[in-house]
Amino acid sequence: MAVDNRKADASLESLHRIFTVPEAPESTLGLIEQKISQNLNEFLRTHIAASEKPLAEIEKDFSSADIPESPTFVSDHTQFLLNKLVAQSVHTSAPSFIGHMTSALPYFLMPLSKIMIGLNQNLVKIETSKAFTPLERQVLGMIHNLIFNEDESFYQQWMHSANHSLGAFCSGGTIANITALWVARNNVLKPDGEFRGVAQEGLFRAMKHYGYDDLAVLVSERGHYSLKKAADVLGIGRDCVIPVKTDDNNRVRLDELRATLNSLKARNIKPFAIVGVAGTTETGNIDPLDQLADIAVEHDCHFHVDAAWGGATLMSNKYRPLLKGIERADSVTIDAHKQLYVPMGAGMVIFKNPASVAAIEHHAEYILRKGSKDLGSHTLEGSRSGMAMLLFASMNIISRPGYEMLINNSIEKAKYFAELIKQDPDFELITEPELCLLTYRYVPAETQKALQVANTGDRLVLLEALNDLTKFIQKRQRESGKSFVSRTRLTPEKWGHKITTVFRVVLANPLTTNDILKSVLEEQKELAQESLHSLPQIRQLTARILRQ
Ligand SMILES: *Cc1c(COP(=O)(O)O)cnc(C)c1O
């Protein structure tokens, strides 16, 4: 770029301009806007650098802590953002980016987001949101209906009721889970006689009043880490999220759950919430929700279902039965920014009982007055954007059957990919896809044979080397920038519960084709050959084991 001597200056006149005069169509930002609306994917593809730059290098571009003493022209700064930020960001909507829960977005959300930002409504109170408040309440009603399927009169009675709420819209699954456990905690330590409740008097006095030695939340060992954050901020402590063992399919074991509940009670520890996971983050499996509901009733626990990722499956009449029992939950977490294809920052917690939120209600004089319809009186967050509008628009524009097609296609694509993996003798499927998520790894065919006959010591060495190889391939693939799968560590029964590093694939992007899936496997095979350490070690050991 040619250096020019133009210099922006901080005058009231130029400040007035940035609030009143739009960027010209042929300015840098104007051109970007045009390109984004004409072909977003092309824009991202051409502006995001293909190969990875080390993070330490990128940090150098963001190293000054000084707030500029002189302004920069919009175009110049936009150019900086393009070169240094956009270029080094991640192409999450690329059809070959199949490693995370973030995927492509429908086009209509771009201009609608602009309207949302332009309006800049604050959903904390009616005064700054007006129609956005009924809209958000309707969205919560629609998702409540999706989960609990109450009749029309239920929604007419409660959806817009000032002293009730069917849930809370928030920034994501983490806040949603915190809110759910907040309600559960306040209910188990509710006001009682002289005691004015944990919300008012705090945990110390609450425990003294109720005479418990401790509290506990139970969830399978595949539970999301946000539950631990929740326990931490709620003063219960991370140790009190008790992980319950899972079966071969990563579902919580009911016998283990019952045993844990009984042993806690015997120690005067109050288990107050059971969390079922509907789509674990690592493997996509769903806990037996119906049986969990029974156990929760039996033990007088709040039953929360963390369906942050998998909840969207309810849109599919075909696969909805996988989540049977979710309609018996006291609360459910769903992220719209995962499988409902809404941009980041759209989470929800939904309560079966419209009066549940009374446990966390908060009033203030100047806003959130009693009897007002202000959403802020029962949300953890204060100021909040009109994000619900984007989910509202998506549900109207895509419709339930449209979402069903997206969900069904994703699940069927995952099944197809699982078939590809199974048919290829050099790969091992680790977890079957129940939803559109699966895990697998590269294991040369000969090594698979060797693992069957190896003695314990050799097998351990092989498994360790395979973990290194998986890590190597995953990193290389990410760095080369053509495609991306993520990796996680599991403890499959098949390998004696040894820690096993696996590729993790989430197939939610509707633009991912079967050919892309084939080429992901091809690339992984090629990258494996570049391993100068693990693969030779694996080959040698394999050969020795098979000779014996
Ligand atoms: C993603 C996820 C969360 C956390 O949601 P955020 O939106 O990232 O805060 C919680 N639970 C499960 C099961 C998830 O998949």
Side-chain angles (χ1 to χ4, degrees):
M1 213 180 63
V3 182
D4 65 33
N5 298 321
R6 290 175 315 140
K7 204 173 148 346
D9 59 339
S11 67
L12 276 177
E13 193 197 336
S14 58
L15 286 176
H16 191 256
R17 270 177 66 87
I18 61 171
F19 283 93
T20 51
V21 184
E23 290 302 303
E26 69 282 3
S27 68
T28 313
L29 202 51
L31 291 173
I32 289 175
E33 281 200 277
Q34 282 173 40
K35 281 194 222 154
I36 286 182
S37 22
Q38 278 156 12
N39 193 339
L40 176 67
N41 203 42
E42 173 72 12
F43 173 84
L44 296 174
R45 215 172 43 75
T46 50
H47 285 88
I48 298 176
S51 63
E52 229 187 45
K53 195 166 160 183
L55 202 54
E57 282 296 304
I58 298 173
E59 281 167 356
K60 289 182 190 153
D61 293 324
F62 300 93
S63 58
S64 167
D66 295 334
I67 297 173
E69 274 300 323
S70 58
T72 309
F73 285 116
V74 175
S75 289
D76 294 348
H77 186 65
T78 303
Q79 201 56 52
F80 169 85
L81 291 177
L82 278 184
N83 297 345
K84 303 297 184 186
L85 183 72
V86 177
Q88 299 305 325
S89 57
V90 175
H91 194 350
T92 54
S93 60
S96 56
F97 184 95
I98 52 174
H100 280 309
M101 292 173 162
T102 319
S103 91
L105 296 172
Y107 258 108
F108 63 79
L109 289 173
M110 309 297 151
L112 286 181
S113 300
K114 263 178 126 171
I115 296 179
M116 182 191 89
I117 290 170
L119 284 168
N120 204 22
Q121 304 291 288
N122 185 350
L123 276 282
V124 73
K125 55 183 197 283
I126 292 270
E127 286 169 18
T128 49
S129 63
K130 207 65 172 292
F132 271 69
T133 293
L135 171 136
E136 186 169 293
R137 285 177 170 273
Q138 185 186 0
V139 166
L140 293 170
M142 290 159 95
I143 301 295
H144 189 287
N145 195 358
L146 179 70
I147 300 165
F148 299 107
N149 200 13
E150 301 284 357
D151 58 22
E152 160 105 32
S153 64
F154 175 94
Y155 296 102
Q156 291 318 316
Q157 183 172 3
W158 302 118
M159 212 154 59
H160 296 288
S161 161
N163 296 316
H164 298 82
S165 178
L166 299 181
F169 208 94
C170 55
S171 67
T174 301
I175 302 292
N177 281 340
I178 293 174
T179 307
L181 291 182
W182 185 18
V183 165
R185 185 202 68 170
N186 287 9
N187 277 328
V188 71
L189 303 174
K190 60 176 174 279
D192 174 41
E194 293 276 281
F195 176 64
R196 288 175 302 144
V198 65
Q200 204 59 41
E201 297 201 23
L203 209 50
F204 289 117
R205 288 192 234 161
M207 298 300 272
K208 230 156 79 188
H209 176 82
Y210 279 98
Y212 301 130
D213 282 338
D214 212 345
L215 299 175
V217 176
L218 283 83
V219 64
S220 94
E221 54 192 357
R222 297 266 166 270
H224 192 266
Y225 57 80
S226 56
L227 297 168
K228 290 211 165 136
K229 291 187 184 174
D232 182 353
V233 299
L234 291 170
I236 300 158
R238 295 177 199 177
D239 283 356
C240 295
V241 177
I242 314 283
V244 182
K245 286 210 173 68
T246 47
D247 65 18
D248 218 9
N249 289 314
N250 299 290
R251 296 181 192 123
V252 70
R253 275 179 52 179
L254 300 170
D255 56 341
E256 290 280 342
L257 177 63
R258 285 206 177 83
T260 311
L261 282 163
N262 291 332
S263 97
L264 288 168
K265 285 184 167 174
R267 289 182 288 147
N268 193 33
I269 298 172
K270 172 67 186 168
F272 72 100
I274 294 175
V275 180
V277 192
T280 71
T281 315
E282 289 164 289
T283 63
N285 294 107
I286 303 161
D287 281 337
L289 303 178
D290 232 354
Q291 286 99 314
L292 287 181
D294 289 337
I295 296 175
V297 170
E298 193 184 314
H299 290 265
D300 193 24
C301 289
H302 179 105
F303 179 36
H304 177 63
V305 174
D306 184 359
W309 176 71
T313 311
L314 295 169
M315 291 281 191
S316 161
N317 290 342
K318 181 170 178 190
Y319 290 105
R320 180 183 173 102
L322 292 173
L323 277 76
K324 189 167 178 319
I326 195 170
E327 70 286 352
R328 297 175 62 198
D330 294 302
S331 56
V332 175
T333 287
I334 293 194
D335 265 344
H337 61 219
K338 286 177 180 166
Q339 289 197 81
L340 290 173
Y341 303 93
V342 166
M344 211 73 63
M348 283 164 288
V349 58
I350 306 290
F351 294 100
K352 185 184 181 81
N353 180 346
S356 285
V357 291
I360 57 169
E361 211 163 78
H362 194 94
H363 294 287
E365 261 324 305
Y366 72 109
I367 53 162
L368 319 180
R369 289 180 200 93
K370 278 203 172 115
S372 80
K373 297 199 174 187
D374 298 341
L375 290 162
S377 58
H378 45 251
T379 54
L380 177 56
E381 291 162 291
S383 296
R384 246 174 352 91
S385 74
M387 202 63 175
M389 167 190 157
L390 301 187
L391 177 55
F392 181 73
S394 297
M395 287 194 290
N396 279 285
I397 293 170
I398 296 173
S399 83
R400 205 273 317 149
Y403 271 119
E404 162 144 30
M405 275 183 219
L406 290 168
I407 299 283
N408 292 0
N409 284 345
S410 297
I411 295 177
E412 275 137 37
K413 206 178 294 169
K415 289 183 173 161
Y416 169 81
F417 195 42
E419 257 335 289
L420 277 188
I421 292 165
K422 281 195 238 174
Q423 280 166 15
D424 192 317
D426 291 331
F427 284 98
E428 180 194 8
L429 186 68
I430 302 286
T431 56
E432 290 270 357
E434 189 171 1
L435 298 175
C436 65
L437 201 166
L438 57 89
T439 64
Y440 68 103
R441 63 177 178 169
Y442 172 79
V443 188
E446 288 295 293
T447 306
Q448 296 195 33
K449 281 184 212 152
L451 279 168
Q452 299 298 329
V453 296
N455 63 37
T456 314
D458 284 346
R459 184 181 299 135
L460 284 183
V461 178
L462 263 186
L463 291 176
E464 203 49 53
L466 284 167
N467 284 351
D468 291 342
L469 182 61
T470 308
K471 211 167 135 183
F472 171 88
I473 298 172
Q474 192 268 347
K475 277 174 97 169
R476 272 294 163 93
Q477 195 163 27
R478 191 190 71 204
E479 284 161 7
S480 76
K482 253 193 294 180
S483 48
F484 171 78
V485 305
S486 55
R487 69 167 197 267
T488 189
R489 300 199 306 168
L490 299 173
T491 51
E493 186 169 80
K494 181 175 175 190
W495 300 119
H497 300 288
K498 283 277 158 300
I499 289 178
T500 303
T501 305
V502 296
F503 303 126
R504 169 177 168 274
V505 159
V506 188
L507 288 167
N509 190 332
L511 307 176
T512 305
T513 59
N514 290 351
D515 281 342
I516 289 175
L517 298 179
K518 284 180 195 151
S519 61
V520 166
L521 294 184
E522 282 312 311
E523 191 187 12
Q524 290 180 331
K525 276 194 206 184
E526 282 162 26
L527 291 173
Q529 311 313 313
E530 291 176 19
S531 153
L532 300 178
H533 181 71
S534 317
L535 192 62
Q537 189 197 357
I538 290 167
R539 286 214 172 105
Q540 262 176 16
L541 190 51
T542 298
R544 183 168 63 67
I545 293 168
L546 293 179
R547 265 199 316 272
Q548 279 165 2

